[in-house]
């Protein structure tokens, strides 16, 4: 115990020896479902980045709850070309598949443990100012185990997956690099960025799983088109706006590959009021607009309102993949900063919809981050 406290103190107190060429940050949060049911799930993370530790490439080390990520980033490979490669492993909790939601309510006996190891090579070509083309050639292996799972619920088969992606990114963001440390759970965006990608997941083994209702009947090749946008504007000393948008269209997918929708944490398509990953969807268009107010000009503390909504397919999670439904919510939030420390709070309400049972639906999020060194 005493040794653990010493390590924690070293992380939280800046040290010239520790900080030479390295930055480190710590964060965590908890996403609460408040109504119609009460439950939740949290995360804790630590990140360290060493500048130009491998040639001129950076080294990134990340621990996040059940995940370990080791990466060499942006290694120059000639004029305008960079290469990154990472090795990541996640144990048991991947995709939040250990819990199962249907129409906003949790169903017992349908969750299971999902784990993987993945190699993530990435090639980037900076074709001009703010414009990048990238090729990803990920190779993953999935492992699945029961979690008090109902015997009638069939698990996915363990499988290798080749996950190539070809993407384009436009990046004209003026926010300082400090905004993208792990301690900043919700970076403050100034400028504009958007991207698009096309990809396929090729599995070595497949079978229909779940209830046999057609929702989880993947083919060997699973296709995805994805597009996203982020923008932020400082309108005056005390007010700014942020806009986020996500579009995804997939074919032959299952709940392993679908996007996680619902909750207010950094790892989902945010819909206030709903539980973490209340919906899993491969076809969606969701936009988010937030207004940020500084109660005192010149101080970093912010309060605001966030509105998010759009449409998803199969909102009832019953295998009706051509059925579409509206989804949305509103949240009040705080983003409070004192020096190296950040404190986050969000309280959300989900708008009633034809597929959501037992409204009203409320949820909350609390988070903490600190720049350790």
């Amino acid at each position: 115990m005493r040794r653990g406290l010493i390590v924690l103190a070293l992380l939280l107190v800046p040290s010239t020896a520790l900080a030479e060429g390295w930055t480190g940050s710590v964060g965590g949060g908890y996403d609460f479902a408040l109504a119609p049911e009460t439950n939740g799930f949290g995360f804790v993370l630590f990140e360290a980045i060493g500048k130009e530790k491998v040639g001129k490439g950076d080294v990134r080390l990340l621990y996040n709850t059940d995940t370990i990520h080791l990466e060499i980033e942006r290694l120059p490979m000639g004029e305008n070309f960079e290469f990154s490669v990472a090795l990541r492993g996640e144990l048991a909790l991947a995709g939040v598949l250990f819990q199962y939601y249907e129409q906003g309510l949790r169903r017992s006996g349908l969750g299971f443990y999902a784990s993987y190891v993945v190699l993530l090579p990435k090639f980037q070509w900076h074709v001009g100012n703010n414009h990048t083309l990238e090729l990803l050639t990920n190779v993953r292996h999935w492992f699945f185990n029961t979690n008090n799972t109902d015997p009638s619920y069939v698990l996915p088969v363990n499988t290798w997956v080749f996950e190539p992606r070809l993407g384009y990114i436009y990046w004209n963001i003026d926010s300082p690099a400090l905004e993208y440390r792990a301690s900043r759970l919700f970076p403050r965006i100034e400028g504009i960025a958007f991207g698009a990608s096309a990809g396929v997941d090729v599995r070595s083994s497949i079978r229909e799983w779940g209830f046999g209702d057609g929702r989880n009947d993947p083919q060997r090749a699973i296709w995805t088109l994805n597009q996203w946008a982020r923008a932020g504007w400082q309108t005056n000393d005390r007010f700014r706006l942020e806009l986020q948008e996500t579009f995804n269209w997939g074919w032959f997918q299952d709940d392993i590959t679908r996007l996680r929708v619902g909750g207010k944490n950094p790892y989902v398509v945010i819909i206030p009021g709903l539980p973490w990953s209340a919906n899993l969807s491969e076809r969606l268009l969701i936009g988010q607009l937030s207004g940020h107010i500084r109660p005192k000009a010149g101080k970093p503390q912010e309060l605001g309102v966030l509105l998010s909504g759009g449409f998803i397919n199969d909102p009832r999670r019953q295998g009706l993949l051509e059925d579409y439904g509206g989804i949305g919510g509103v949240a009040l939030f705080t983003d409070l900063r004192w020096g190296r420390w950040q404190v986050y709070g969000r309280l959300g309400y989900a708008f009633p919809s034809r597929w959501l049972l037992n409204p009203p639906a409320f949820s909350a999020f609390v988070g903490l981050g600190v720049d350790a060194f």
Side-chain angles (χ1 to χ4, degrees):
M1 179 68 175
R2 183 177 179 182
R3 188 171 299 174
L5 292 174
I6 292 173
V7 172
L8 181 60
L10 288 173
L11 289 175
L12 299 182
V13 178
S15 163
T16 303
L18 282 173
E20 186 175 356
W22 288 87
T23 58
S25 53
V26 181
Y30 202 93
D31 206 328
F32 299 86
L34 302 178
E37 299 175 323
T38 303
N39 50 58
F41 184 61
F43 63 91
V44 60
L45 57 87
F46 169 74
E47 179 187 62
I49 298 176
K51 293 294 184 180
E52 298 187 359
K53 296 299 181 181
V54 177
K56 292 188 177 180
D58 300 340
V59 173
R60 180 171 179 251
L61 312 174
L62 174 68
Y63 164 78
N64 186 345
T65 315
D66 67 327
T67 304
I68 295 177
H69 179 99
L70 311 174
E71 183 172 8
I72 300 172
E73 298 181 306
R74 296 186 296 275
L75 188 65
M77 302 293 289
E79 187 176 0
N80 300 325
F81 287 88
E82 291 179 333
F83 174 68
S84 301
V85 61
L87 181 64
R88 182 190 302 162
E90 185 167 5
L91 180 64
L93 307 183
V96 200
L97 290 165
F98 63 91
Q99 60 182 12
Y100 191 105
Y101 278 94
E102 186 176 297
Q103 297 184 257
L105 301 179
R106 189 170 183 176
R107 294 188 59 184
S108 61
L110 304 182
F112 56 91
Y113 291 131
S115 308
Y116 65 80
V117 292
V118 59
L119 181 69
L120 302 133
K122 179 170 65 176
F123 302 86
Q124 291 187 310
W125 177 23
H126 304 293
V127 296
N129 291 338
N130 311 116
H131 302 274
T132 299
L133 295 176
E134 64 178 19
L135 174 66
L136 287 69
T137 56
N138 304 345
V139 179
R140 188 186 309 261
H141 194 277
W142 282 101
F143 309 85
F144 304 101
N145 298 98
T146 60
N147 174 29
N148 296 319
T149 309
D150 191 301
S152 66
Y153 191 82
V154 178
L155 294 191
V157 63
N158 296 347
T159 183
W160 287 96
V161 193
F162 179 48
E163 304 170 349
R165 301 285 188 274
L166 181 63
Y168 164 78
I169 299 172
Y170 174 79
W171 189 268
N172 190 12
I173 297 292
D174 297 324
S175 305
L178 190 66
E179 284 296 321
Y180 299 94
R181 298 179 69 171
S183 57
R184 308 295 173 96
L185 302 182
F186 303 101
R188 296 180 179 180
I189 300 171
E190 292 185 21
I192 185 169
F194 58 85
S197 66
V200 59
D201 291 6
V202 182
R203 297 185 183 176
S204 63
S205 303
I206 57 171
R207 72 178 175 206
E208 184 173 7
W209 59 277
F211 292 116
D213 58 3
R215 177 176 169 87
N216 290 300
D217 188 14
Q219 294 193 8
R220 195 171 297 276
I222 297 170
W223 298 88
T224 303
L225 294 176
N226 180 268
Q227 178 271 325
W228 57 267
R230 305 288 184 268
W233 302 272
Q234 188 79 43
T235 60
N236 56 51
D237 290 343
R238 298 182 61 176
F239 185 76
R240 65 185 186 90
L241 287 170
E242 283 191 12
L243 177 66
Q244 301 189 24
E245 174 266 341
T246 302
F247 169 81
N248 198 84
W249 202 266
W251 294 266
F252 317 124
Q253 301 209 358
D254 60 10
D255 284 348
I256 299 170
T257 55
R258 293 181 173 112
L259 293 188
R260 275 53 187 157
V261 182
K264 296 161 299 310
N265 65 80
Y267 309 111
V268 297
V269 181
I270 291 175
I271 298 294
L274 295 182
W276 188 333
S277 297
N279 294 86
L280 280 66
S281 175
E282 75 266 43
R283 299 176 185 175
L284 59 86
L285 175 62
I286 293 177
Q288 174 184 305
L289 178 66
S290 56
H292 304 244
I293 301 171
R294 293 190 176 186
K296 189 172 182 179
K299 298 295 184 180
Q301 284 73 27
E302 290 187 348
L303 311 174
V305 179
L306 179 154
L307 179 67
S308 180
F311 73 84
I312 60 174
N313 76 320
D314 196 14
R316 295 179 176 83
R317 202 173 182 179
Q318 295 176 350
L320 305 174
L321 300 181
E322 301 302 322
D323 182 30
Y324 295 87
I327 191 170
V330 63
L332 302 176
F333 67 84
T334 62
D335 179 348
L336 309 178
R337 301 185 177 185
W338 295 275
R340 298 183 295 122
W341 294 85
Q342 300 91 45
V343 179
Y344 304 92
R346 296 184 168 198
L347 179 63
Y349 165 72
F351 300 138
S353 68
R354 60 186 177 87
W355 57 266
L356 190 61
L357 297 178
N358 296 351
F362 290 94
S363 64
F365 175 85
V366 294
L368 176 68
V370 59
D371 300 321
F373 56 88

